[in-house]
């Protein structure tokens, strides 16, 4: 994907930033909040990167005493996250950055986390390759994502609705993120399905080259 596609998605999230929490409030009560808590319960600590922090919906679940860096490519979403972090006393380093072009050294983070992010990254394989690069050898990558259903009829309907959802929300509802994680070179260790498999908690690991050689 080119920079123009990225800019289009960025503008959608900038546009939605003031009402984003309101737009997704029902989804958070329906299950998103519970799943976020489950994801962060699998994060041991150390140096953590949250990709696509948005308005800071994961702040309540951050582990104590962890060194957390959180990024987003939408300045308006990031601005709301900064305000929320100040009000709630959340210790986090917030940076404007695109996951497709991470400005970090190789092997920087013990864990990389993202929730409902790779549905909207214009080039998800490029983004996942960057996640793998900045994750330490034997480090974890934990993603909560919505994906294309394995049910043929539902998948057809999701593909049909996808262009409208993308224009309104900036997110694709027909990505194959588990497959994309594997293609990126990360080792998928566990996948937990929610809501008939439309939502998935994906646990992956970056191979330790020294141990595998």
């Amino acid at each position: 994907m080119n920079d123009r596609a990225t800019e289009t998605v960025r503008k959608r999230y900038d546009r939605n930033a003031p009402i984003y929490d309101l737009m997704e409030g029902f989804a958070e009560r329906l299950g998103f909040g519970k799943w976020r808590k489950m994801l962060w319960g699998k994060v041991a600590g150390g140096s953590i990167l949250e990709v696509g922090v948005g308005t800071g919906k994961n702040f309540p679940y951050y582990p104590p005493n962890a060194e957390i860096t959180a990024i987003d490519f939408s300045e308006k979403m990031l601005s709301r996250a900064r305000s929320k972090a100040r009000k709630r006393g959340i210790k986090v380093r917030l940076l404007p950055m695109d996951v497709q072009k991470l400005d970090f050294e190789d092997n920087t983070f013990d864990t990389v986390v993202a929730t409902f992010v790779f549905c909207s990254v214009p080039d998800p394989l490029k983004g996942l390759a960057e996640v793998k690069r900045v994750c330490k050898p034997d480090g974890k990558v934990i993603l909560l994502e919505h994906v294309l259903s394995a049910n043929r009829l539902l998948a057809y309907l999701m593909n049909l609705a996808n262009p409208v959802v993308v224009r309104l929300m900036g997110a694709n509802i027909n990505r194959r993120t588990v497959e994309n994680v594997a293609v990126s070179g990360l080792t998928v260790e566990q996948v937990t399905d929610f809501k008939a498999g439309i939502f998935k908690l994906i646990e992956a690991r970056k191979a330790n080259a020294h141990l595998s050689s």
Side-chain angles (χ1 to χ4, degrees):
M1 290 284 181
N2 56 31
D3 290 342
R4 184 176 179 181
T6 298
E7 190 58 28
T8 298
V9 177
R10 189 200 319 272
K11 286 179 179 178
R12 288 192 184 114
Y13 278 93
D14 279 347
R15 180 192 68 206
N16 289 335
I19 57 171
Y20 195 73
D21 287 345
L22 182 63
M23 287 168 62
E24 295 206 338
F26 178 72
E28 292 296 320
R29 293 190 294 274
L30 189 65
F32 284 16
K34 178 175 64 178
W35 302 338
R36 291 178 194 275
K37 185 177 181 179
M38 186 182 299
L39 179 152
W40 284 96
K42 296 176 179 292
V43 178
S47 179
I48 300 165
L49 172 65
E50 182 186 358
V51 171
V53 65
T55 61
K57 290 185 179 180
N58 286 317
F59 286 170
Y61 314 110
Y62 278 0
N65 305 318
E67 181 186 331
I68 302 178
T69 300
I71 67 166
D72 205 286
F73 73 165
S74 164
E75 265 295 355
K76 291 191 177 180
M77 297 285 274
L78 204 57
S79 175
R80 299 185 77 81
R82 289 193 183 103
S83 176
K84 196 177 291 185
R86 284 195 300 269
K87 290 177 182 176
R88 299 184 182 179
I90 304 296
K91 187 179 178 182
V92 57
R93 181 172 64 143
L94 292 162
L95 300 173
M97 201 176 299
D98 181 354
V99 69
Q100 300 166 119
K101 301 175 184 176
L102 292 177
D103 190 23
F104 301 116
E105 298 291 331
D106 295 358
N107 309 320
T108 298
F109 299 99
D110 296 298
T111 307
V112 182
V113 170
T115 58
F116 307 114
V117 169
F118 282 94
C119 52
S120 58
V121 175
D123 189 336
L125 289 176
K126 189 174 182 180
L128 286 165
E130 280 289 271
V131 164
K132 179 190 173 188
R133 180 183 67 78
V134 303
C135 187
K136 292 179 181 178
D138 205 38
K140 293 181 69 175
V141 174
I142 313 176
L143 311 176
L144 177 60
E145 296 287 340
H146 54 76
V147 300
L148 185 67
S149 174
N151 179 284
R152 291 179 64 182
L153 176 59
L154 189 52
Y156 171 78
L157 295 173
M158 291 174 77
N159 282 323
L160 200 64
N162 193 64
V164 175
V165 177
V166 170
R167 282 196 296 271
L168 290 175
M169 300 289 294
N172 294 271
I173 57 173
N174 63 349
R175 291 272 170 92
R176 301 179 183 272
T177 305
V178 177
E179 292 88 337
N180 287 343
V181 170
V183 169
S184 76
L186 292 162
T187 301
V188 177
E189 294 187 324
Q190 184 171 332
V191 178
T192 305
D193 289 349
F194 306 114
K195 302 294 182 183
I198 296 175
F199 300 92
K200 295 183 184 288
L201 179 60
I202 306 163
E203 298 174 63
R205 192 174 297 274
K206 178 177 175 178
N208 189 320
H210 176 70
L211 293 177
S212 61
S213 60

